[in-house]
Amino acid sequence: MSLSLFFQILINGIMMGGTYALVASGLTLTLGVIKVFNFAQGHFLMLAAFATYAIVVALGLPYWVAVIVSFCGMALLGMLIYFGIIARTLRHGFFNSMLATVFLATIIEQGSVVTFASQTRTLPVVVKGTAKLGEVTAPYSRLLVIGISLVVLIALHFFMRRKVGKAMLAAAENSDVASLMGINPNRVFWMTMAVGCGLSGIAGAIVAPVYGAYSSMGSVIFSRALLVLMVGGMGSMSGALAGAFLIGILESFAFQFLGYWNLLVVLVLVGVLMYFRPGGLLGKPMPLPGE
Amino acid sequence: MSKIKPAVLAVVALVAITLPLYATPYMLQIATTTACFAMLGLAFGLGMRVGLPRLDIAAWWGVGGYATAVLMEHGVSFWLTIPAGGLISVIISFLVFSLALPRGMVAFFVFSMVIAMAFSQVFGSLSFLGGWGGITGVPSPTIFSFAFDTQNRIYYLGLLFVVVTIAVYLAFYHSRIGRAWDAITSSPRLAGSVGVDVVRYRMVNILVGSFFIAAAGSFYVIHYHAAIPSVFSFTAGVNTIAYLFIGGFTHSLAGPILGAFIVTFIPEYLQFAQTLRPIIIAAVVIFILMFLPAGLLGVWDNKIKPRLAARPPERRE
Amino acid sequence: MALLEIENLSMNFGKLQALSGLDLTVSEGEILGLIGPNGAGKTTFFNLVTGTYRGSGGRIVFKGEDITHLATHKIAQRGIARSFQQTFLFAHATVLANVMMGCHIASAVGPVKELLHTKAAREMDTRARKTALEIIDFMGLTDLKDEPAGTLPHGHQRSLGVAIALACRPTLLLLDEPVTGMNPTESAEMVARIHQIREKGMTIVLVEHAMDVVMGVSDRIVVISLGSKIAEGRPEEIKTDPQVIEAYLGRRGTLDVA
């Protein structure tokens, strides 16, 4: 394999890794703090991808507007869903809330199918041109995706160190104790939901120019996010990060050699990893509330 | 109160058995589909008996369905395809869940989701399974020269499947194994303390469920005479969970049946556009999750039954 | 004869050393009281013996067999039962059903026979029920046998916890704070029962904060502080042991009431 091809595959892998990292971080955050397994996590990405399409193609506005709108829009949606649905289902248990998100995902996906049919919406390339370093080439559009995802991930890291982020971590550890420390769990929860969905939103905005927007992308990316969580360890943010890039790169190389069988290969590898390190690379097996 | 249950049971049984006499063929077809989904819902209920939400239903459903479709294409008798599909499901379940069960609930969730998604993908990708178009033209099952080729006969066959499923589950629920299961759901910690091997008992539950889910798949395929990947997709599987929740999962047997009935029958009569149906069902489930967490039977248990009990007893003549 | 031997048992949760180098022997037929200030490691010790926790060092030997790394349910099957500090019950099941669960271990017939509800299975069931009723009677819960366990008042819930442990027919019974939260009458009844349990041939280790109870019922006492044993002996000796007093009160005096 030529060096150029190798790097192409690698870049693709890192690009998808960055996307998965955003989605998986959001999923982990929601799972850890609110103890809700947000099944619709991938679907927020899908909505954002369509929104990006609408903003850039239909409205003709610049790309960066779409990115910001995606983040804010999905964050807002997350907050609404928290108050509208989750706040109520939380008192009925973990599984209840998770199921609610499952069916929310169904509504979003079906709604998308009904509205947009099965056609993929493609977007124009955001940044034309290709970077060149010796023999290695990488399209700027893909580097942009990597760039934005890294920026957001770093921002997230610092956010978690600020007061709000720390409150989230405290609530994740033990929400009763946290409320005794003066942290309002309800406030932390909706903010977590907003951040989690916002992250998916950005992921959708950055992935849209490369892969377009189509109705099933939510489930597809969610299934990858699940694998990331398995590999990185449930409830571990750094694990999600490591796992995401690992899965992204693995998937990319597997696709090169095996086409659409790559998912199966990744699955088998993850299964093997689970046998030897059930807690994932960095995390520990996370007990559900009540265990 | 114990007067109500046998009475309801008798009525339901009567209606079910005599249905072909007065139902339209269309209605019968829906009833048969209901039987199918009821089997899936029952299997989910079985899993909830040990506190395991089975998001992997679609996988085994598909395995059973495809096993039957493929084997019958090669002339194998339907009745042999049932244990074939069942066995494959049980073996793979065992392999996958031996990794997951000792690692805890979240691991179980994720593994079951992943396996269902994986199978969805596999069903569509393999050409010997007919690719995304699936396998059509699956013949009707036969016993010697008797063919189950009319709607009536298939309906009764479906009813038989449901009855056998319920009988087997009941045998488990009322046995020491069932009591161990209840203990595990109630307090896994205490169950372990009294000598219950939690992992092993859960595995037994899973394997039994997988077998019967595959059997349901086998039946589905001869009912519709086709095995199509979209039917066995992960999302479709997850929707069957809706049935149990609408019905109420505290009743492992009545809940799924009621739920399957409501979800399958009623929308047909409301005749909404096919594409809107999943959205409406999903919305209803979310409503129930929010406001009626114990499902419709939960409303019965908590609201209606106590009121009936509070009424003065009828006079005995 | 040593029933349970603990050698150099240690347990740490990350940086927190819950137990360090604990040595302990429990003789057959005795009532051993385990006391120590809060956080000394007593419940951790129980959790290690029953296999709920995995220790970070040391050995646990029961009836001559090394059970250090055995799973909880296997340890239960070998004859060690316990009651819990927090109340773990099968909340939605009746008191009778709860205790019958305890008999679960003893009443195995074989899965096929179980499912077919054969005569043998049903007989086992009847026997289990009979045993359960005897134990319920013994613990004074007969009137409540058909009530859901979750609706019982606190004191009765604790008695039920002990009943469930008894139903396992253990050789060694570990009681974690059996009288905490009970009024003096209930407490006295429990103490009487503990004596009766020992007379039936079981060995008992109990953890309790109520000093008068522990001192009154135990043959021997072991004092744990900060994860290791600091004293052991008869109750009278322990009461006046200066190290023990210091561990509890931080100054000289005598131990009358905890």
Side-chain angles (χ1 to χ4, degrees), chain B residues 44-258:
Chain B
F44 186 77
L46 178 73
M48 290 307 277
R49 266 330 249 241
V50 276
L52 294 175
R54 297 206 66 168
L55 298 173
D56 56 333
I57 286 185
W60 322 119
W61 193 27
V63 167
Y66 271 103
T68 298
V70 170
L71 289 174
M72 283 185 86
E73 249 187 347
H74 290 79
V76 177
S77 155
F78 170 68
W79 313 102
L80 288 177
T81 66
I82 300 178
L87 199 64
I88 301 175
S89 299
V90 164
I91 293 175
I92 303 181
S93 292
F94 179 74
L95 292 174
V96 173
F97 292 118
S98 338
L99 290 180
L101 281 177
R103 323 291 185 206
M105 292 286 272
V106 180
F108 176 81
F109 264 163
V110 178
F111 268 77
S112 52
M113 285 193 272
V114 167
I115 202 83
M117 289 179 175
F119 271 97
S120 291
Q121 188 71 22
V122 168
F123 292 145
S125 316
L126 291 178
S127 53
F128 94 94
L129 293 180
W132 293 103
I135 300 176
T136 53
V138 177
S140 303
T142 54
I143 298 184
F144 304 110
S145 47
F146 179 79
F148 286 87
D149 51 6
T150 65
Q151 192 57 56
N152 277 19
R153 293 179 183 180
I154 296 210
Y155 169 74
Y156 280 119
L157 184 62
L159 213 55
L160 184 68
F161 267 70
V162 173
V163 167
V164 169
T165 307
I166 294 180
V168 172
Y169 288 178
L170 266 179
F172 272 97
Y173 290 160
H174 287 169
S175 71
R176 184 168 165 267
I177 299 177
R179 285 201 296 270
W181 285 347
D182 289 336
I184 293 173
T185 317
S186 192
S187 173
R189 185 87 190 267
L190 187 58
S193 248
V194 296
V196 172
D197 187 341
V198 173
V199 170
R200 225 232 223 127
Y201 274 96
R202 278 185 161 154
M203 182 57 92
V204 169
N205 180 294
I206 295 277
L207 296 181
V208 171
S210 295
F211 185 88
F212 279 91
I213 294 170
S218 295
F219 178 74
Y220 190 90
V221 149
I222 49 116
H223 168 45
Y224 277 105
H225 299 288
I228 302 179
S230 57
V231 166
F232 303 116
S233 70
F234 174 63
T235 0
V238 157
N239 283 329
T240 67
I241 300 176
Y243 311 149
L244 181 58
F245 266 81
I246 293 178
F249 66 82
T250 44
H251 296 256
S252 313
L253 295 172
I257 295 180
L258 178 64

Side-chain angles (χ1 to χ4, degrees), chain A residues 31-35 166-185 188-189 289:
Chain A
L31 180 64
V33 177
I34 319 179
K35 312 281 191 281
K166 283 193 151 150
M168 288 183 185
L169 290 174
E173 276 293 319
N174 192 327
S175 57
D176 292 325
V177 172
S179 54
L180 285 176
M181 293 198 289
I183 296 174
N184 179 351
V188 172
F189 286 176

Side-chain angles (χ1 to χ4, degrees), chain C residues 126-142:
Chain C
T126 319
R127 247 176 289 170
R129 180 176 277 259
K130 188 158 159 282
T131 314
L133 285 169
E134 280 168 14
I135 295 176
I136 288 176
D137 205 34
F138 173 74
M139 293 301 297
L141 294 166
T142 319

Side-chain angles (χ1 to χ4, degrees), chain B residues 187 189-190, chain C residues 84-91 98 157 161 164:
Chain B
S187 173
R189 185 87 190 267
L190 187 58
Chain C
F84 292 87
Q85 197 179 19
Q86 304 144 273
T87 322
F88 283 118
L89 294 174
F90 301 122
N98 267 266
Q157 283 191 350
I164 296 175

Side-chain angles (χ1 to χ4, degrees), chain A residues 4 39 46 55 84 109 126 146 181 187 208 268 286:
Chain A
S4 149
F39 231 86
M46 186 257 286
I55 292 176
E109 181 150 351
V126 178
I146 298 178
M181 293 198 289
R187 167 115 73 89
V268 168
M286 189 181 117

Side-chain angles (χ1 to χ4, degrees), chain A residues 180-252:
Chain A
L180 285 176
M181 293 198 289
I183 296 174
N184 179 351
N186 222 25
R187 167 115 73 89
V188 172
F189 286 176
W190 73 250
M191 288 185 125
T192 306
M193 193 94 199
V195 170
C197 298
L199 286 170
S200 267
I202 299 182
I206 60 179
V207 116
V210 180
Y211 287 121
Y214 53 99
S215 302
S216 58
M217 72 196 298
S219 324
V220 167
I221 303 239
F222 183 72
S223 54
R224 302 319 189 262
L226 284 183
L227 291 175
V228 169
L229 251 68
M230 274 166 79
V231 167
M234 250 50 85
S236 162
M237 296 279 278
S238 28
L241 213 66
F245 285 104
L246 199 72
I247 298 265
I249 295 173
L250 209 65
E251 200 185 20
S252 187

